[in-house]
Amino acid sequence: MTEIDAKTDALIPAWLTLPDIAEELDIEVTRVRQLVREGQVIAVRRGENRVLQVPAAFIGEGKVVRGLAGTLTLLRDDGFTDEEMLEWLFTPDDSLPGTPAQALRENRGTEVKRRAQALAV
């Protein structure tokens, strides 16, 4: 869990709190915390109360977006911080088109992972 700067925060259009995610996924909040600890999603402290929040784009159709965990692992293995991963996932990429986060939601994970792997070269 980390904090992010205003520039990165501005890239992400919507956020969910851990209880919101628990409700969306129909699981306990403790299981959501486990997803964060395992690196399957990224949570950051935001707002006045510094509440843990996850980008809403990471959750869809009652589950964590397919391909997200693998992409995060690739980026982490390349030495990316949580903030750098969020910035990369939510920065528009004309070659996709859209952002890598959008591409993951649209089941275009192979393209996203290919770009993540290319970052290591």
Side-chain angles (χ1 to χ4, degrees):
M1 292 160 280
T2 188
E3 292 188 34
I4 57 173
D5 66 20
K7 176 185 161 216
T8 303
D9 191 82
L11 291 172
I12 302 165
W15 295 85
L16 295 170
T17 63
L18 301 192
D20 292 338
I21 293 169
E23 187 175 316
E24 181 85 20
L25 301 180
D26 195 27
I27 59 176
E28 297 292 323
V29 174
T30 53
R31 176 69 181 119
V32 177
R33 288 185 186 284
Q34 185 177 352
L35 292 173
V36 173
R37 275 193 311 276
E38 292 171 352
Q40 294 186 42
V41 295
I42 298 172
V44 297
R45 295 204 176 274
R46 296 181 66 246
E48 276 183 39
N49 298 333
R50 297 178 24 88
V51 174
L52 273 178
Q53 297 182 37
V54 173
F58 290 174
I59 309 298
E61 299 177 14
K63 59 187 180 231
V64 175
V65 170
R66 186 169 171 236
L68 177 64
T71 302
L72 294 178
T73 298
L74 282 171
L75 294 171
R76 204 169 277 117
D77 288 351
D78 288 345
F80 277 59
T81 65
D82 285 355
E83 184 171 3
E84 290 167 335
M85 287 188 277
L86 289 171
E87 186 175 340
W88 184 79
L89 284 163
F90 288 93
T91 297
D93 180 340
D94 292 337
S95 69
L96 271 172
T99 67
Q102 283 174 305
L104 286 172
R105 287 184 64 87
E106 294 166 1
N107 204 22
R108 295 185 287 140
T110 303
E111 290 298 314
V112 174
K113 284 182 185 169
R114 195 172 294 136
R115 282 165 179 74
Q117 288 170 329
L119 295 172
V121 175

